[in-house]
């Protein structure tokens, strides 16, 4: 019997994770919000010091040098943010695999699992990107080759080829999407296993990713409305008025100071929402990969959360 996974359990996995581990979800999101705030804390002061009205060429030269230095810091913080994202994403995967298990580090680790998953994610993305690029270039060659047959023929051939490329791209991405989760589960590079377990599961996996995307969009809209309500309420409640003339960014500082409390009030909402997004992105694929590796739906394995070669002491 070929391996299978439960579509309903995969879709329900992030909701179970959020319900069982709300504090972990909040902390995962808070870490990501902290990294975003750190990046903006570097960029915003430079934006506020933008020499718009005076200073001449000398001021712009000094500003350019400052921006180059800040760009280096910002790039370093961006790399650190992606590292944090990798850690919390894997933490959500581990937590999905270990319902009912307590972990004092909220399933966050910094070890070989993170290294392997990072390598697999980068390798699969680059491979998929190169394959798509080759298919596009092949389409261009087909267009030139069929050009003598007439415009109608070229259009028909390219439309048919475009449909085939779209289908191949979706199928290919769906098959490689389980390589990262399989690597996390097996604690070793699992490119072969990740590809193999997707065989015969393409339609279910595409459906799963589509449902996850719809849930992501709906959640994004709900969170956006909630954040907007907090900020608009803070703005209107304080009787603030937008300045009639804004010549420099400094003209907005009085409003920014007045809106500091409403902005802080959005942090818990954003943190929990970000953590929920991470759970939504990680849990379905991890649950599906676990069941496919096991041959079918079964009781979750509580011991799957522990990595034998993690650098984080238990």
């Amino acid at each position: 019997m070929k391996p299978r996974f439960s579509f309903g359990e995969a879709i329900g996995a992030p909701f179970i994770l959020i319900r069982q581990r709300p504090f972990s979800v909040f902390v995962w999101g808070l870490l990501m919000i902290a990294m975003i705030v750190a990046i903006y804390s570097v960029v915003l002061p430079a934006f506020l010091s933008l020499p718009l009205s005076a200073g001449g060429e000398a001021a712009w030269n000094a500003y350019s040098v400052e921006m180059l230095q800040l760009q280096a810091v910002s790039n370093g913080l961006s790399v650190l943010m992606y590292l944090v994202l990798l850690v919390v994403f894997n933490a959500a995967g581990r937590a999905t695999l270990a319902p009912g298990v307590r972990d004092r580090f909220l399933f966050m680790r910094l070890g070989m699992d993170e290294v392997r998953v990072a390598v697999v994610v980068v390798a699969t993305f680059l491979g998929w990107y190169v394959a798509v690029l080759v298919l596009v270039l092949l389409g261009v060659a087909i267009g030139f080759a069929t050009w003598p047959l007439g415009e109608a023929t070229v259009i028909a051939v390219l439309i048919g080829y475009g449909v085939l490329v779209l289908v191949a791209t979706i199928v290919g991405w769906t098959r490689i999407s389980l390589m990262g989760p399989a690597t996390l589960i097996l604690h070793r590079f699992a490119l072969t296993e990740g590809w193999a377990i997707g065989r015969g599961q393409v339609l279910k996996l595409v459906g799963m990713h589509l449902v996850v995307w719809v849930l992501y969009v709906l959640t994004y809209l709900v969170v956006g409305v909630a954040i907007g309500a907090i900020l608009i309420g803070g703005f209107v409640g304080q009787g603030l008025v937008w300045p009639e003339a804004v010549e420099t960014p400094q003209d907005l500082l009085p409003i920014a100071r007045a809106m500091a409390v409403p902005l802080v009030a959005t942090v818990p909402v954003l943190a929990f929402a970000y953590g929920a997004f991470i759970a939504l992105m990680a849990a379905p694929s991890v649950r599906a990969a676990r069941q496919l590796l096991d041959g079918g739906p079964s009781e979750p394995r509580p011991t799957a959360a522990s990595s034998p070669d993690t650098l984080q002491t238990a």
Side-chain angles (χ1 to χ4, degrees):
M1 185 176 68
K2 72 175 183 179
R4 60 189 180 87
F5 74 95
S6 169
F7 186 91
E9 290 183 15
I11 296 299
F15 298 99
I16 294 174
L17 179 59
I18 293 169
R19 187 180 71 250
Q20 292 183 345
R21 307 184 190 277
F23 181 70
S24 296
V25 171
F26 174 78
V27 172
W28 299 336
L30 187 61
L31 289 174
M32 292 303 303
I33 295 299
M35 292 307 308
I36 294 173
V37 170
I39 292 174
Y40 275 99
S41 68
V42 172
V43 175
L44 283 180
F47 174 73
L48 293 175
S49 63
L50 187 65
L52 295 178
S53 57
E57 184 177 352
W60 275 105
N61 290 338
Y63 182 77
S64 299
V65 172
E66 181 184 358
M67 282 302 299
L68 289 175
Q69 296 172 346
L70 290 177
Q71 185 66 40
V73 176
S74 177
N75 291 340
L77 288 174
S78 296
V79 172
L80 182 59
M81 182 182 70
Y82 285 116
L83 175 61
V84 173
L85 178 61
L86 173 68
V87 169
V88 297
F89 198 89
N90 281 358
R94 291 190 184 95
T96 300
L97 296 169
V101 175
R102 299 183 59 136
D103 188 277
R104 60 179 175 172
F105 298 112
L106 307 181
F107 298 92
M108 291 183 287
R109 305 286 188 270
L110 189 59
M112 289 306 299
D113 276 343
E114 280 61 44
V115 174
R116 285 188 289 260
V117 170
V119 170
V120 168
V121 169
V122 172
T124 52
F125 175 78
L126 290 178
W128 178 80
Y129 182 83
V130 170
V132 171
L133 182 61
V134 170
L135 290 174
V136 170
L137 294 176
L138 181 59
V140 173
I142 291 174
F144 280 114
T146 57
W147 187 260
L149 301 178
E151 183 177 351
T153 302
V154 173
I155 293 175
V157 169
L158 289 181
I159 289 177
Y161 181 77
V163 172
L164 290 176
V165 169
L166 178 62
V167 172
T169 300
I170 294 174
V171 171
W173 181 255
T174 302
R175 292 289 298 273
I176 67 176
S177 68
L178 295 179
M179 292 180 178
T183 296
L184 177 66
I185 293 168
L186 299 176
H187 307 302
R188 57 181 172 81
F189 288 111
L191 297 175
T192 302
E193 293 88 345
W195 178 265
I197 59 178
R199 185 180 298 115
Q201 307 293 329
V202 171
L203 290 179
K204 286 178 70 175
L205 289 172
V206 169
M208 182 188 75
H209 289 301
L210 182 61
V211 171
V212 166
W213 179 80
V214 171
L215 292 173
Y216 175 87
V217 172
L218 292 176
T219 306
Y220 185 89
L221 292 175
V222 171
V223 172
V225 170
I227 297 299
I230 294 173
L231 295 179
I232 293 173
F235 190 89
V236 175
Q238 298 180 80
L240 299 177
V241 178
W242 192 262
E244 294 183 1
V246 179
E247 296 182 358
T248 65
Q250 286 84 350
D251 295 334
L252 297 176
L253 285 179
I255 289 181
R257 295 191 186 99
M259 290 296 293
V261 173
L263 283 171
V264 171
T266 65
V267 171
V269 178
L270 286 172
F272 191 82
Y274 211 126
F277 288 151
I278 291 170
L280 186 60
M281 295 295 107
S285 293
V286 170
R287 177 58 59 84
R290 175 74 275 176
Q291 291 183 354
L292 289 170
L293 288 169
D294 289 342
S298 60
E299 289 296 320
R301 300 179 179 183
T303 57
S306 301
S307 173
D309 57 350
T310 179
L311 301 181
Q312 175 66 66
T313 57

